[in-house]
Amino acid sequence: TKTDVATLPYSGTSATHRVSSAPPSVAGEPAAAAKQPMAPPMYMGKTPHNWLTLKSGTDTIVLRVSERVYAQLKDALASHSVQVQEEK
């Protein structure tokens, strides 16, 4: 069975995509995570990932997705007139 983790209406939803080793800042501050003293930044040198940020009103959802899933989500959002903005 499926369980909804979160739901957003399509109307009024904005979407932003970026490829980066670190999540976007709206996902929270990664430096707040526990780490060893003198450790390098958590995402330094890591493989870049696809990050999709969805915003609706005061709600924000950040998803780390594969290239294939991103393409599927982008098409599904476009079918509901939600355009994905590419972030550099």
Side-chain angles (χ1 to χ4, degrees), residues 22-59:
S25 59
V26 296
E29 180 53 52
K35 60 182 183 249
Q36 298 295 322
M38 302 301 291
M42 185 179 294
Y43 297 100
M44 179 182 270
K46 300 287 183 186
T47 304
H49 298 286
N50 289 285
W51 299 94
L52 184 64
T53 303
L54 303 169
K55 292 183 182 182
S56 181
T58 59
D59 297 321

Side-chain angles (χ1 to χ4, degrees), residues 8-78:
L8 297 174
Y10 285 108
S11 63
T13 295
S14 65
T16 306
H17 171 253
R18 69 184 259 174
V19 177
S20 174
S21 57
S25 59
V26 296
E29 180 53 52
K35 60 182 183 249
Q36 298 295 322
M38 302 301 291
M42 185 179 294
Y43 297 100
M44 179 182 270
K46 300 287 183 186
T47 304
H49 298 286
N50 289 285
W51 299 94
L52 184 64
T53 303
L54 303 169
K55 292 183 182 182
S56 181
T58 59
D59 297 321
T60 301
I61 299 171
V62 178
L63 303 171
R64 185 179 114 177
V65 295
S66 68
E67 189 68 37
R68 181 179 62 82
V69 171
Y70 167 65
Q72 292 171 340
L73 286 170
K74 184 176 180 180
D75 289 345
L77 290 167

